[in-house]
Amino acid sequence: MKKIKKKRAQTKSAKNRTIRRTAARSARTARSGGGTDPKRVAAILAKLDEAYPAATCELHHDNAFQLLISTILSAQCTDVRVNQVTPGLFQKYPTPEAFAHANPASVEQEIRPTGFFRNKTKSILGASKALLEEFGGQVPRTMEEILTLPGVARKTANVVLGTAYGIASGVVVDTHVQRLSRRLDLTRNEDPKKIEQDLIKVIPKDRWILFSHQLIWHGRRVCAARKPKCVECNMEQLCYSRDKTI
Ligand code: SF4
């Protein structure tokens, strides 16, 4: 009997918490004019600037080609792990020519620690061959062209065009941007392509590149998938996510 009473009390308290959070969220949304109200978006951007004025890509690279390879390697892998693998890899294979003529089995062993090494090897060798055959060995500077490279989808294309060339072709939507955009109510979509389209509408174009770096930094340092450190977050007043821990 005692157990049943305790269970009922716990359920009631959980329900009350949910009601309080929903009410708080509605009140804040109403006050701010909604998730993508320009004033609210500007306030989020200001807070990101305050916390991460110099956010940038954390994949080590010396040129667009190295960044392309590093970004392909970063799929389902941390930047830290990729940065451990690339110095030796780029020493051995410094150019698209070197990768295009490489023995796939050797490349597979080199990049094995990054996971999915067989598919990644196919993409790297395929992209290197395409660069040589179609683009004179240079990483192209348009979304249309870069998307023709094997293993390159919009996320990789946006990383390379934005970071290596400073071209704002879109917003990089990785797992952090995906999660944080939803927590900050800048999108209600889950599909990365749709999230990017939502972000493009509300974030000024001259902020696309820096904004994605800043969200990725915030996701890595504060707003983790599990247990975000909301007490340390300077956007806490602007955030009404259900995942908040305060
Ligand atoms: S308040 Fe918490 S959930 Fe919201 S953005 Fe900050 S860390 Fe993330």
Side-chain angles (χ1 to χ4, degrees):
M1 193 63 186
K2 262 187 183 174
K3 269 188 183 171
I4 294 173
K5 272 189 180 171
K6 196 177 170 190
K7 181 103 182 150
R8 275 190 193 146
Q10 281 172 342
T11 312
K12 201 175 167 190
S13 130
K15 268 186 191 165
N16 286 342
R17 265 204 308 278
T18 308
I19 290 167
R20 276 202 303 276
R21 277 190 183 167
T22 308
R25 180 186 169 127
S26 306
R28 284 178 195 165
T29 308
R31 264 205 308 277
S32 67
T36 55
D37 171 72
K39 278 188 191 159
R40 180 174 182 273
V41 174
I44 289 172
L45 294 178
K47 289 290 179 189
L48 287 170
D49 282 348
E50 189 183 291
Y52 313 108
T56 186
C57 179
E58 293 186 285
L59 289 168
H60 300 164
H61 62 281
D62 291 333
N63 52 50
F65 176 66
Q66 287 188 356
L67 182 58
L68 173 68
I69 303 301
S70 294
T71 310
I72 291 173
L73 290 175
S74 72
Q76 309 289 320
C77 181
T78 64
D79 286 4
V80 172
R81 177 65 60 87
V82 173
N83 288 336
Q84 287 165 352
V85 164
T86 48
L89 186 71
F90 294 147
Q91 201 173 17
K92 220 168 178 179
Y93 309 101
T95 59
E97 286 92 332
F99 272 117
H101 302 120
N103 176 347
S106 304
V107 176
E108 280 178 10
Q109 286 318 304
E110 291 279 340
I111 67 167
R112 198 182 178 108
T114 69
F116 301 96
F117 56 94
R118 290 200 181 90
N119 276 342
K120 287 179 183 176
T121 298
K122 272 187 203 145
S123 298
I124 291 170
L125 270 52
S128 298
K129 281 177 191 157
L131 288 180
L132 283 183
E133 288 163 14
E134 311 290 335
F135 301 106
Q138 299 297 312
V139 177
R141 290 171 177 262
T142 67
M143 178 60 81
E144 202 186 359
E145 289 174 312
I146 203 166
L147 284 178
T148 64
L149 300 174
V152 175
R154 268 199 82 86
K155 190 193 86 175
T156 302
N158 277 327
V159 170
V160 176
L161 293 172
T163 300
Y165 294 144
I167 296 169
S169 51
V171 177
V172 175
V173 180
D174 75 342
T175 179
H176 299 291
V177 176
Q178 199 172 346
R179 183 178 71 256
L180 269 68
S181 301
R182 287 173 55 78
R183 281 182 175 169
L184 289 167
D185 205 20
L186 298 174
T187 182
R188 304 233 165 131
N189 279 305
E190 290 184 12
D191 173 54
K193 278 187 193 154
K194 288 183 183 165
I195 292 176
E196 186 185 355
Q197 290 314 306
D198 288 343
L199 294 176
I200 279 172
K201 282 183 209 138
V202 298
I203 307 296
K205 189 172 183 180
D206 62 0
R207 290 297 309 262
W208 289 355
I209 299 171
L210 182 60
F211 170 77
S212 46
H213 290 317
Q214 289 172 325
L215 271 203
I216 292 168
W217 277 39
H218 191 59
R220 285 183 179 148
R221 290 156 178 78
V222 180
C223 190
R226 284 185 198 169
K227 294 191 189 162
K229 299 177 199 161
C230 303
V231 279
E232 294 175 24
C233 179
N234 71 346
M235 290 185 285
E236 193 272 319
Q237 292 291 311
L238 294 160
C239 175
Y240 36 79
S241 166
R242 289 171 59 189
D243 299 335
K244 271 174 79 169
T245 50
I246 49 171

